């Protein structure tokens, strides 16, 4: 029994195996390398969380200070430069004769999307005595290689023929171009009823104390219509800032076109109503004349 116990104890407690010293050194080296690599990883993670640079960390700017490029409300929505049914026009004038007479110095046409159809400096027939640069933006060098007036006039006439012509105070532009356009095809932002500004006579002291007969206030002519400038309309209805100093005819034409496009349905409805009223008035007038003729013949 004792001998069997001794054998079991020997089996339970075997003698430690002697390891080659080179192998033990290799194991220690591997352990040290693994520890170093773990330290490097942890240090890298710390660096990624807190990046350091020679210049230092860039100071973050609040959202309000971030420079975001402003998109102009007049910018075209596409690059289609084809001729459309609606065309906007704007002209810049120079002074001729004694400086008081206006002549065409630049003409610009854009389509309904605001893309430029025609934009040329024009050399007037008469000698220019006032370039009106502070408004027109035209300088002597611009007219040295400018288009001849007749050439520009012919081209503009071709482009606007049969089209709805949009602009601001278009009678001035057509006057310097020596052109006409059918009234039914003109959409003038200076004449459109909802764009007109009203002044009340009741706020005018000279009217209040003038010698009018006493009558109800509702019968008094209490409002006068005045035109708003294109700059005012663009700011009020489009949120666009134009005509600060020298005028840009491209921006002006685009502003007029955008004002028309935003109000197109109602505008066209008003035009139809007005034409219908004119036709009715024309039909009524001949009847009155016939009645008068019959009356005179019977007498």
């Amino acid at each position: 029994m004792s001998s069997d116990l001794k054998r079991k104890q020997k089996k339970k407690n075997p003698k430690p195996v002697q390891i080659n010293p080179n192998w033990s050194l290799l194991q220690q080296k591997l352990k040290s390398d693994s520890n170093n690599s773990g330290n490097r990883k942890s240090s890298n993670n710390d660096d990624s969380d807190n990046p350091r640079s020679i210049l230092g960390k860039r100071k973050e700017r609040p959202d309000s200070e971030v420079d975001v490029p402003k998109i102009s409300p007049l910018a075209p929505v596409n690059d289609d430069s084809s001729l459309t049914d609606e065309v906007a026009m704007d002209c810049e004038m120079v002074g001729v004769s004694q400086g008081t007479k206006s002549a065409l110095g630049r003409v610009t046409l854009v389509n309904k999307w605001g893309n430029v159809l025609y934009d040329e400096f024009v050399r007037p027939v008469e000698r220019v005595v006032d370039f009106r640069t502070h408004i027109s933006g035209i300088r002597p060098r611009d007219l040295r290689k400018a288009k001849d007036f007749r050439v520009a006039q012919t081209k503009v006439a071709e482009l606007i023929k049969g089209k709805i012509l949009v602009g601001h105070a278009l009678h001035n532009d057509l006057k310097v171009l020596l052109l006409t356009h059918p009234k039914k095809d003109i959409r003038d932002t200076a004449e459109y009823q909802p764009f007109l500004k009203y002044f009340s006579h009741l706020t005018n002291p000279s009217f209040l104390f003038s010698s009018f007969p006493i009558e109800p206030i509702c019968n008094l002519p209490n409002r006068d219509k005045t035109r708003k400038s294109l700059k005012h309309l663009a700011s009020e209805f489009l949120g666009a800032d134009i005509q600060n100093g020298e005028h840009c005819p491209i921006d002006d034409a685009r502003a007029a076109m955008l004002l028309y496009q935003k109000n197109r349905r109602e505008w066209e409805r008003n035009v139809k109503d007005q034409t219908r009223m004119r036709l009715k008035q024309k039909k009524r007038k001949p009847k009155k004349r016939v009645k008068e003729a019959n009356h005179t013949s019977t007498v």
Side-chain angles (χ1 to χ4, degrees), residues 11 24 31 41 46 60 71 133 140 183 233 239 245 261 271:
K11 286 179 181 178
S24 63
K31 285 180 182 179
K41 285 180 181 178
D46 294 340
E60 293 182 1
I71 300 173
T133 306
K183 192 174 182 180
L233 293 174
Q261 291 294 342
V271 170

PDB file of all heavy atoms in Angstrom, residues 11 24 31 41 46 60 71 133 140 183 233 239 245 261 271:
ATOM      1  N   LYS A  11       3.459  10.661  -9.401  1.00  0.00           N
ATOM      2  CA  LYS A  11       2.737  11.058 -10.602  1.00  0.00           C
ATOM      3  C   LYS A  11       2.111  12.435 -10.455  1.00  0.00           C
ATOM      4  O   LYS A  11       2.051  13.229 -11.385  1.00  0.00           O
ATOM      5  CB  LYS A  11       1.639  10.034 -10.899  1.00  0.00           C
ATOM      6  CG  LYS A  11       2.198   8.729 -11.448  1.00  0.00           C
ATOM      7  CD  LYS A  11       1.072   7.752 -11.707  1.00  0.00           C
ATOM      8  CE  LYS A  11       1.647   6.415 -12.241  1.00  0.00           C
ATOM      9  NZ  LYS A  11       0.582   5.444 -12.458  1.00  0.00           N
ATOM     10  N   SER A  24      13.756  30.741 -22.866  1.00  0.00           N
ATOM     11  CA  SER A  24      13.197  31.610 -21.823  1.00  0.00           C
ATOM     12  C   SER A  24      13.474  33.082 -22.137  1.00  0.00           C
ATOM     13  O   SER A  24      12.615  33.953 -21.931  1.00  0.00           O
ATOM     14  CB  SER A  24      13.773  31.238 -20.448  1.00  0.00           C
ATOM     15  OG  SER A  24      15.178  31.450 -20.443  1.00  0.00           O
ATOM     16  N   LYS A  31       7.154  38.867 -24.634  1.00  0.00           N
ATOM     17  CA  LYS A  31       6.252  39.521 -23.678  1.00  0.00           C
ATOM     18  C   LYS A  31       6.483  41.023 -23.620  1.00  0.00           C
ATOM     19  O   LYS A  31       5.564  41.827 -23.610  1.00  0.00           O
ATOM     20  CB  LYS A  31       6.433  38.915 -22.288  1.00  0.00           C
ATOM     21  CG  LYS A  31       5.809  37.555 -22.133  1.00  0.00           C
ATOM     22  CD  LYS A  31       6.034  37.040 -20.726  1.00  0.00           C
ATOM     23  CE  LYS A  31       5.434  35.640 -20.581  1.00  0.00           C
ATOM     24  NZ  LYS A  31       5.663  35.104 -19.218  1.00  0.00           N
ATOM     25  N   LYS A  41      -0.431  51.554 -28.963  1.00  0.00           N
ATOM     26  CA  LYS A  41      -1.816  51.676 -29.419  1.00  0.00           C
ATOM     27  C   LYS A  41      -2.605  52.622 -28.545  1.00  0.00           C
ATOM     28  O   LYS A  41      -3.373  53.459 -29.017  1.00  0.00           O
ATOM     29  CB  LYS A  41      -2.505  50.308 -29.415  1.00  0.00           C
ATOM     30  CG  LYS A  41      -2.052  49.419 -30.576  1.00  0.00           C
ATOM     31  CD  LYS A  41      -2.759  48.091 -30.522  1.00  0.00           C
ATOM     32  CE  LYS A  41      -2.286  47.195 -31.665  1.00  0.00           C
ATOM     33  NZ  LYS A  41      -2.921  45.865 -31.603  1.00  0.00           N
ATOM     34  N   ASP A  46      -5.048  58.032 -27.760  1.00  0.00           N
ATOM     35  CA  ASP A  46      -5.098  59.304 -27.045  1.00  0.00           C
ATOM     36  C   ASP A  46      -4.820  60.458 -27.988  1.00  0.00           C
ATOM     37  O   ASP A  46      -5.441  61.511 -27.915  1.00  0.00           O
ATOM     38  CB  ASP A  46      -4.079  59.309 -25.893  1.00  0.00           C
ATOM     39  CG  ASP A  46      -4.465  58.280 -24.816  1.00  0.00           C
ATOM     40  OD1 ASP A  46      -5.657  57.896 -24.794  1.00  0.00           O
ATOM     41  OD2 ASP A  46      -3.584  57.866 -24.046  1.00  0.00           O
ATOM     42  N   GLU A  60     -12.719  76.752 -33.386  1.00  0.00           N
ATOM     43  CA  GLU A  60     -13.980  76.562 -34.093  1.00  0.00           C
ATOM     44  C   GLU A  60     -14.796  77.836 -34.068  1.00  0.00           C
ATOM     45  O   GLU A  60     -14.907  78.497 -33.044  1.00  0.00           O
ATOM     46  CB  GLU A  60     -14.774  75.424 -33.452  1.00  0.00           C
ATOM     47  CG  GLU A  60     -14.104  74.062 -33.629  1.00  0.00           C
ATOM     48  CD  GLU A  60     -14.948  72.956 -33.027  1.00  0.00           C
ATOM     49  OE1 GLU A  60     -16.022  73.286 -32.508  1.00  0.00           O
ATOM     50  OE2 GLU A  60     -14.534  71.798 -33.088  1.00  0.00           O
ATOM     51  N   ILE A  71     -26.496  83.322 -52.623  1.00  0.00           N
ATOM     52  CA  ILE A  71     -26.978  83.085 -53.985  1.00  0.00           C
ATOM     53  C   ILE A  71     -27.921  84.214 -54.359  1.00  0.00           C
ATOM     54  O   ILE A  71     -28.895  84.478 -53.658  1.00  0.00           O
ATOM     55  CB  ILE A  71     -27.692  81.729 -54.091  1.00  0.00           C
ATOM     56  CG1 ILE A  71     -26.725  80.607 -53.719  1.00  0.00           C
ATOM     57  CG2 ILE A  71     -28.250  81.510 -55.494  1.00  0.00           C
ATOM     58  CD1 ILE A  71     -27.378  79.243 -53.627  1.00  0.00           C
ATOM     59  N   THR A 133     -21.552 107.856 -66.778  1.00  0.00           N
ATOM     60  CA  THR A 133     -20.938 106.628 -66.269  1.00  0.00           C
ATOM     61  C   THR A 133     -21.440 106.254 -64.887  1.00  0.00           C
ATOM     62  O   THR A 133     -21.589 105.064 -64.574  1.00  0.00           O
ATOM     63  CB  THR A 133     -19.404 106.782 -66.252  1.00  0.00           C
ATOM     64  OG1 THR A 133     -18.965 107.173 -67.556  1.00  0.00           O
ATOM     65  CG2 THR A 133     -18.725 105.478 -65.878  1.00  0.00           C
ATOM     66  N   PRO A 140     -15.742 105.689 -72.301  1.00  0.00           N
ATOM     67  CA  PRO A 140     -15.346 105.910 -73.711  1.00  0.00           C
ATOM     68  C   PRO A 140     -14.771 104.670 -74.377  1.00  0.00           C
ATOM     69  O   PRO A 140     -15.043 104.403 -75.561  1.00  0.00           O
ATOM     70  CB  PRO A 140     -14.306 107.027 -73.607  1.00  0.00           C
ATOM     71  CG  PRO A 140     -14.686 107.773 -72.363  1.00  0.00           C
ATOM     72  CD  PRO A 140     -15.219 106.755 -71.429  1.00  0.00           C
ATOM     73  N   LYS A 183     -48.977  97.207 -78.023  1.00  0.00           N
ATOM     74  CA  LYS A 183     -49.297  97.459 -76.619  1.00  0.00           C
ATOM     75  C   LYS A 183     -49.783  96.208 -75.908  1.00  0.00           C
ATOM     76  O   LYS A 183     -49.489  95.994 -74.723  1.00  0.00           O
ATOM     77  CB  LYS A 183     -50.358  98.557 -76.529  1.00  0.00           C
ATOM     78  CG  LYS A 183     -50.556  99.099 -75.127  1.00  0.00           C
ATOM     79  CD  LYS A 183     -51.505 100.272 -75.116  1.00  0.00           C
ATOM     80  CE  LYS A 183     -51.661 100.825 -73.702  1.00  0.00           C
ATOM     81  NZ  LYS A 183     -52.591 101.983 -73.674  1.00  0.00           N
ATOM     82  N   LEU A 233     -38.843  97.856 -56.366  1.00  0.00           N
ATOM     83  CA  LEU A 233     -39.612  96.640 -56.630  1.00  0.00           C
ATOM     84  C   LEU A 233     -38.772  95.384 -56.420  1.00  0.00           C
ATOM     85  O   LEU A 233     -39.250  94.389 -55.858  1.00  0.00           O
ATOM     86  CB  LEU A 233     -40.154  96.670 -58.059  1.00  0.00           C
ATOM     87  CG  LEU A 233     -41.207  97.733 -58.379  1.00  0.00           C
ATOM     88  CD1 LEU A 233     -41.527  97.728 -59.870  1.00  0.00           C
ATOM     89  CD2 LEU A 233     -42.482  97.501 -57.568  1.00  0.00           C
ATOM     90  N   GLY A 239     -36.314  90.546 -52.959  1.00  0.00           N
ATOM     91  CA  GLY A 239     -35.213  90.499 -51.996  1.00  0.00           C
ATOM     92  C   GLY A 239     -33.860  90.672 -52.662  1.00  0.00           C
ATOM     93  O   GLY A 239     -32.835  90.202 -52.157  1.00  0.00           O
ATOM     94  N   GLY A 245     -25.109 102.327 -57.351  1.00  0.00           N
ATOM     95  CA  GLY A 245     -24.090 102.974 -58.179  1.00  0.00           C
ATOM     96  C   GLY A 245     -24.392 102.723 -59.640  1.00  0.00           C
ATOM     97  O   GLY A 245     -25.508 102.954 -60.114  1.00  0.00           O
ATOM     98  N   GLN A 261     -42.630  86.962 -64.021  1.00  0.00           N
ATOM     99  CA  GLN A 261     -42.862  85.527 -63.876  1.00  0.00           C
ATOM    100  C   GLN A 261     -43.553  85.197 -62.551  1.00  0.00           C
ATOM    101  O   GLN A 261     -44.389  84.293 -62.490  1.00  0.00           O
ATOM    102  CB  GLN A 261     -41.532  84.763 -63.967  1.00  0.00           C
ATOM    103  CG  GLN A 261     -40.886  84.777 -65.345  1.00  0.00           C
ATOM    104  CD  GLN A 261     -41.697  84.033 -66.386  1.00  0.00           C
ATOM    105  OE1 GLN A 261     -42.560  83.225 -66.074  1.00  0.00           O
ATOM    106  NE2 GLN A 261     -41.424  84.314 -67.658  1.00  0.00           N
ATOM    107  N   VAL A 271     -54.716  91.503 -68.088  1.00  0.00           N
ATOM    108  CA  VAL A 271     -54.597  91.926 -69.491  1.00  0.00           C
ATOM    109  C   VAL A 271     -55.820  91.471 -70.285  1.00  0.00           C
ATOM    110  O   VAL A 271     -56.382  92.231 -71.088  1.00  0.00           O
ATOM    111  CB  VAL A 271     -53.299  91.364 -70.114  1.00  0.00           C
ATOM    112  CG1 VAL A 271     -53.278  91.583 -71.623  1.00  0.00           C
ATOM    113  CG2 VAL A 271     -52.077  92.010 -69.474  1.00  0.00           C
TER     114      VAL A 271
END
